Amino acid sequence: MEHRGYLEWEGKDNGIFYREDVPANGGRFTVLFLHGQKFSSQTWDDLGTLKFLAAHDYRVVAVDLPGYVKSKDAEQPRTSEERSAFLKKFMEKLKIDRPVLVSPSMSGSYALPFIFEGDQGKHLRGYVPVAPVGTDKFEESDYKELQLPTLVIYGENDSALGVSSLRRLRNIPNSVVHMMKSAGHACYFANPEEFHEKILTFLRRFSQHPEYLYNVIESGKMDNYDIPRYMRALQPDKASAWKLMVIDQVDNEYFVHLYYKML
């Protein structure tokens, strides 16, 4: 399902514009895209990002932030508290539960306060900063204490925000850093395919595809095989069927999924 339209916001019918692509089954979970100063949700449509991730079974939402492009009539939040509150309210209105948040450049002024102020980071599944602004507003110790799986992406030729934001972001314990070669600040334009594949790989950390895990079993590498970060695949028996247990740790709770494949 594809939707392009407005959310009523502060009494205005044409308040906040957003784009949404949803698989027929609703998707595994939501990926929420913000945008940079010179861009909008249209960027992710033009690059094919929404359709690409929806085709891989994720609900994908992209928003025009207040005051930008099709949300130009919505008043821009003035403080970090107001920007954090905007994201919280937007997610509530669209019933977005624990998304992976993708935040390039200017949108760091929304994402970082949302993560650090008021412990809102616990309402995210993962974080993908792309050379965001505002990393210097938080202490190095804040990043070191952040328990949020993070994929840091930046362009090789981004000698300003790419480099300065990386100094802080690389301190996040559950972080992976990817540099896009020969790319500038808006690095996703240089190689959209690479950008999409890196995000997809990151998303699969949270919900490994059974097909991938079956291949692990059949390769004979199954004994206590570690799925990156919070996943572990176990082989409880070697009877007539392979039984696969995937344990997903979220906020110190464990969610167990069982898959079966007859030999």
Side-chain angles (χ1 to χ4, degrees):
M1 181 189 75
E2 179 182 294
H3 176 78
R4 307 291 184 266
Y6 284 90
L7 276 177
E8 183 277 330
W9 204 268
E10 297 177 348
K12 297 179 181 178
D13 291 336
N14 292 344
I16 298 297
F17 183 83
Y18 71 99
R19 303 166 193 267
E20 179 179 24
D21 279 24
V22 186
N25 65 0
R28 296 170 182 269
F29 52 81
T30 304
V31 187
L32 174 58
F33 282 82
L34 309 183
H35 62 81
Q37 180 81 28
K38 297 180 180 179
F39 305 105
S40 69
S41 63
Q42 181 72 48
T43 301
W44 308 117
D45 242 352
D46 292 345
L47 291 176
T49 308
L50 279 72
K51 285 183 171 53
F52 175 82
L53 292 179
H56 286 85
D57 204 21
Y58 298 96
R59 178 192 181 196
V60 195
V61 176
V63 60
D64 281 11
L65 293 168
Y68 289 88
V69 191
K70 293 191 175 183
S71 297
K72 64 181 183 300
D73 293 333
E75 185 177 353
Q76 288 189 5
R78 297 183 179 181
T79 66
S80 60
E81 291 82 5
E82 289 177 351
R83 289 188 285 271
S84 176
F86 166 81
L87 277 186
K88 184 174 185 292
K89 182 178 178 181
F90 179 79
M91 288 166 56
E92 288 173 350
K93 278 181 170 285
L94 283 184
K95 295 180 171 57
I96 298 174
D97 180 42
R98 299 190 67 249
V100 169
L101 181 63
V102 182
S103 172
S105 195
M106 175 278 296
S107 67
S109 64
Y110 285 79
L112 289 166
F114 182 77
I115 290 170
F116 286 115
E117 296 174 7
D119 230 9
Q120 296 291 343
K122 289 186 176 179
H123 298 298
L124 296 178
R125 190 179 305 265
Y127 174 43
V128 184
V130 186
V133 303
T135 54
D136 58 343
K137 297 184 182 300
F138 301 92
E139 300 298 326
E140 185 175 310
S141 59
D142 293 326
Y143 293 93
K144 289 182 177 180
E145 294 172 3
L146 183 61
Q147 297 301 312
L148 181 64
T150 299
L151 169 63
V152 181
I153 300 179
Y154 73 103
E156 180 181 24
N157 298 331
D158 185 3
S159 58
L161 272 175
V163 173
S164 63
S165 63
L166 182 61
R167 292 193 190 103
R168 294 295 175 94
L169 294 169
R170 73 191 331 161
N171 288 297
I172 299 174
N174 292 326
S175 64
V176 175
V177 177
H178 177 70
M179 180 188 72
M180 295 187 64
K181 292 184 178 180
S182 303
H185 179 57
C187 56
Y188 32 86
F189 283 110
N191 191 334
E193 293 79 10
E194 177 184 349
F195 181 77
H196 292 160
E197 288 296 335
K198 286 299 175 182
I199 289 182
L200 182 60
T201 298
F202 180 67
L203 298 179
R204 284 176 169 166
R205 291 170 50 174
F206 305 99
S207 55
Q208 287 289 348
H209 286 251
E211 294 82 3
Y212 168 77
L213 295 170
Y214 294 150
N215 290 336
V216 172
I217 295 173
E218 293 172 347
S219 70
K221 300 176 181 178
M222 196 55 203
D223 293 337
N224 291 326
Y225 187 90
D226 282 327
I227 301 302
R229 303 298 180 185
Y230 299 121
M231 302 286 187
R232 181 177 293 274
L234 304 174
Q235 183 182 354
D237 59 59
K238 296 184 179 180
S240 59
W242 294 96
K243 182 164 64 174
L244 184 64
M245 180 184 295
V246 180
I247 303 176
D248 186 0
Q249 181 185 2
V250 179
D251 293 342
N252 296 319
E253 294 183 5
Y254 291 85
F255 298 86
V256 179
H257 315 276
L258 296 177
Y259 299 102
Y260 296 87
K261 181 184 180 185
M262 299 302 295
L263 294 179

